[in-house]
Amino acid sequence: MAECVFCKIAGGEIPTEFLYQDEHLVAFKDINPQAPVHFLVVPKKHIPNLLAINDDDVKLLPAIQKIIVQLTGELGIAEGGFRVVVNTGNHGGQTVPHLHFHVLGGRLLDWPPG
Ligand code: 5GP
Ligand code: ZN
């Protein structure tokens, strides 16, 4: 999608250091981190949010889970624990309309969220 920031990042139009990349997915640090470790796992395909996932897209979910496990280990937050967040729609606080999984760790996180 031409004006989508995450399509531009995934497509290499905005130079970004990837923590992980393969044919279908990329992971990179959030530009405005909310915890000592805060990265995003993002499908290369423009999927607006969780509600828009089709039967084919759903096959990405186990791969996303695997990348999260791999990167939380590599970045040293697996043992202490972390949080995975998928903000969805207006009440969910979604600001970028391209599906992404936040992974936050490296400090004690409050619950419930604001
Ligand atoms: P949302 O609010 O949609 O759940 O999350 C969007 C996230 O994308 C925010 O945490 C925001 O800081 C991050 N973000 C927005 N634009 C960019 C960007 O250009 N580069 C990176 N690395 N992160 C971005
Ligand atoms: Zn997009």
Side-chain angles (χ1 to χ4, degrees):
M1 226 192 158
E3 286 316 308
C4 172
V5 64
F6 286 176
C7 281
K8 287 182 180 171
I9 289 174
E13 211 180 310
I14 298 175
T16 302
E17 193 182 326
F18 292 128
L19 300 168
Y20 177 90
Q21 63 175 315
D22 66 22
E23 193 187 342
H24 300 293
L25 299 163
V26 292
F28 51 89
K29 289 182 180 166
D30 196 292
I31 203 169
N32 182 23
Q34 301 302 313
V37 175
H38 183 181
F39 65 89
L40 305 170
V41 183
V42 181
K44 287 184 173 176
K45 179 183 170 188
H46 183 83
I47 303 167
N49 64 29
L50 269 185
L51 297 171
I53 282 187
N54 67 28
D55 287 352
D56 208 32
D57 301 332
V58 87
K59 294 176 194 156
L60 294 169
L61 297 180
I64 290 170
Q65 186 173 318
K66 206 170 157 198
I67 292 163
I68 290 170
V69 171
Q70 179 186 321
L71 288 179
T72 54
E74 288 176 10
L75 297 171
I77 59 168
E79 198 177 331
F82 57 89
R83 186 171 295 165
V84 180
V85 175
V86 187
N87 295 327
T88 305
N90 189 30
H91 282 187
Q94 185 178 6
T95 59
V96 175
H98 178 132
L99 179 65
H100 51 282
F101 289 66
H102 293 261
V103 182
L104 302 117
R107 69 170 172 86
L108 189 59
L109 300 166
D110 290 337
W111 191 265

